[in-house]
Amino acid sequence: MTVTQNPRGLDDPAIRARVEELLVDMTLAEKAGQLTQYFKFNLPEGEGTVGDMPQKRGEVEDALERGEAGSLLFVTDPAETNRLQRLTVEGSRQGIPALFGFDVIHGLRTILPVPIALAASWDPETIERGQAVAAREARAVGIHWTFAPMVDIARDPRWGRIVEGAGEDPYLGSAVAAAQVRGFQGDQLGTPERVVAGPKHFAGYGAAIGGRDYDEVDLSDQQLWNIYLPPFKAAIDAGAGNIMTAYMPLNGVPATGNRWLLTEVLRNQWGFNGFLVSDANAVRNLVTHGFASDLTDAAARAADAGLDLEMAISDPAYAHLPEAVESGAVSIEAVDACVRRILEVKLRLGLFDDPYVDEDHARTVLADPAHRQVAREAAQRSAVLLRNEGTLLPLNAEQLRSVAVLGPLADSKRDTLGPWVFDYNLDETVTVLAGLRDRLGDQAEVRYAPGVRPAQRTFPSMFEMFPGNANPDPEGFDDDAELQRAVELARTSDVAVLVLGEWHGMIGEAASRSSLELPGRQLELLHAVSATGTPVVLLVMNGRPLDLRWAAKNVPAILDIWYPGTQGGAAVADLLLGDVAPGGKLPFTWPRTVGQVPMIYSHTTSFEPQNQGKRYWDEESTPLFPFGHGLSYGTFTYSDLTLSRETVSRDGHLTASITVTNTGDRAGDEVAQLYIHQRHGAAARPVRELKGFQRLHIGAGEARTVQFEIGPDELRYWNAAARDFIVDATTFDVGIGSDSTVQLTATFATTA
Ligand code: NOJ
């Protein structure tokens, strides 16, 4: 397998010459420094620490001036990036500029919907456009590189980081990964107004046992190659210049010291020639794992495995690299190879020529109203209409006199933005309440009551050390009286819009959960409001599936709005009033209850006893909503599925086409999804697998014919007996439809 990734890189003679010139003049300590990335928090300083983090005061500045900090993270203020950059460029002996990285996960100042929501758009163009805005804002303030996209497949919603990825499926995950890389990075590394993309966490982090963050991961080879690695491969093929290693051990070997993973697979097999960074403190953690004997051993083994840059909060393990080289624990060639890759990226980004940013320009970029429009469209396209009984939605603005907007998430700016944001502007943030008030103006009275107090985590979030991240717990909140007030508003309104879900600190890193229930008294509020008889629209604010069994039977309209970002409330108003139609689809299987977890659509079949697929005696074995599910304001029928050929050679191609008709009386969006199933062969293959999708906008009464190519890329899989990718000579079933329950009615054969 060959890739033409990063064609300019060290192959460029001018870059190579400059790299060698710097390298030859570098001390071992300076080399280790280039391979060290420090956190630099902008937090109130405590006694010898920064916030709760045990970073010594001045540690970073000192290291920069000694030429012993090659990279920093968490600096987002352009004046501060300039100040720190000046320290290294003007203060250190060689004057090598620092590389600034940050978690620009779904926007910097303009916050996009969370990544799982972007994935739910099933729309690579929307995703690319959104992340290009994020990149533009980041680059303007002096950030050169983002620790994104997270391309970890997540099949266990107890794992809080499901919100940062693209869900359960490798095909959708690969498409979303590539779109994000293109958005962040542009056509090539060094594109103006873009940043280096750093897909993470290599590899398998999403399979943490029990959904417990950071816990160990055991994956069979076929799971790794067929499910967990493909999004990384897609991101690398799209040009990603960086990869971040995972915290946990993969099949017993910590990812950050795993030579097979980092060098054999990533560099030798895939041809990745960018640079590798560890997750925070993950090199030091090689000792915690009981893998390395001490920090010198940790540094030696990480560098030997191919890890270029250590991300450290304090006291980096890579500070021990000089002694590791001197004792022969790691070769100088291995260390030099890492240093070359760090210098190379700095040169390719043009940092030596232009290390600083223009602070006025940064202000202009951050204020660009076009960014807000991109965020609004992304939020519109991410929402998933889970249920719409009696076509309650869209609401008819003409007939609406009063709306009750209920639930504490309905007017929480901070929650509207979701997790993994630090530089947001709350003044620009539009909640659901504000969006509806703005959209309806004097036309209808929009009244608000929180109904219940914000629920709290049993154990606080580590992100609470950042300003604005603690969950408010209003004093003097009279729970029963507030619930009654909300019910009363609902009773006296034409429609009740409830916003329920999880507070932003309940999802994300270190936010695993042992249940999927609506936290606090939210379900009680939903029951009480529904009992008034006023039609209820439930808006779900979430990053993981929640237990909505009651709502799915009793609430007529359910729209998943995720954490929709800066313009979330405006987008929600657009959707509820029918200015635009929802068209998102679920990027994961939505279980009924936590007891069904993990649950995926692409399982295999096996022994089928008499009870027709019933696996639990106390609950259905089907999900609440299938993977790929999502409604719109149109009604779609699929007809005339045809395949261009009945047989193909194993390296041949065929085309599947189908006509999608909107038989409804409103325009709408639909994502046509192609699934295949291999009937027999050298392995038992899943009952169905997604192998193509296209998001369509179809007017009322109109029809569109769509085509999908099927070829070896879609048919091959990694076989545990052959220990390689193969295409079987067999029969495939094909179906194209609205979600992963589509009947597979067409067939073709692959010939030997
Ligand atoms: C730890 C997280 O696992 C990783 O995703 C993130 O990029 C780093 N911290 C830096 O914030």
Side-chain angles (χ1 to χ4, degrees), residues 73-74 103 147 161 200-201 244 247 279 311 420 509:
L73 74 152
F74 255 84
D103 292 283
F147 311 131
R161 303 198 77 170
K200 65 189 186 186
H201 306 80
M244 184 187 291
Y247 274 127
D279 204 336
M311 183 189 288
W420 272 122
E509 187 181 347

